[in-house]
Amino acid sequence: MFDRIRRYAGRFRGAGGAQTPQRRTHNLFEAAAAYVTARAEDDQDRIEEVSGWVSPEALSFGVSELACRAVVALARERDESPRTVARDLLGLPVV
């Protein structure tokens, strides 16, 4: 819990001071992959960390793009339509 508080407070420290370490910029797809992985592993600390890498809108777009690519890849692997695969992954009946 104290780590989360420290990370949160660290965001406001020294806007341009020489003592503040350089923050690495993250690609939105890198953030999406790390976020989805953390969700799959139920790692709440990692989810919170990754959520701060990019804007919520960018993260949402990245996760959506990752989902699309994953469904297409799995559909090709299964030789099924993306619609069938998506519905199967969500536990929905096949239409």
Side-chain angles (χ1 to χ4, degrees):
M1 179 170 141
F2 290 111
D3 286 333
R4 280 190 250 172
I5 294 170
R6 224 175 292 133
R7 284 193 305 257
Y8 179 77
R11 293 179 185 171
F12 299 105
R13 256 189 261 144
Q19 298 169 353
T20 305
Q22 281 286 332
R23 255 185 100 176
R24 180 174 176 261
T25 58
H26 294 275
N27 175 302
L28 72 95
F29 296 116
E30 178 183 26
Y35 180 81
V36 169
T37 302
R39 291 284 309 265
E41 296 171 349
D42 198 26
D43 184 347
Q44 190 61 41
D45 289 335
R46 183 75 172 153
I47 291 169
E48 290 175 15
E49 175 190 346
V50 171
S51 294
W53 288 1
V54 296
S55 73
E57 295 82 11
L59 184 59
S60 177
F61 173 79
V63 169
S64 177
E65 186 65 24
L66 177 59
C68 289
R69 292 179 187 196
V71 167
V72 167
L74 194 53
R76 287 180 183 153
E77 184 179 295
R78 292 181 179 184
D79 197 27
E80 296 178 345
S81 74
R83 181 179 183 168
T84 301
V85 170
R87 293 185 68 82
D88 181 51
L89 289 171
L90 293 170
L92 300 171
V94 177
V95 177

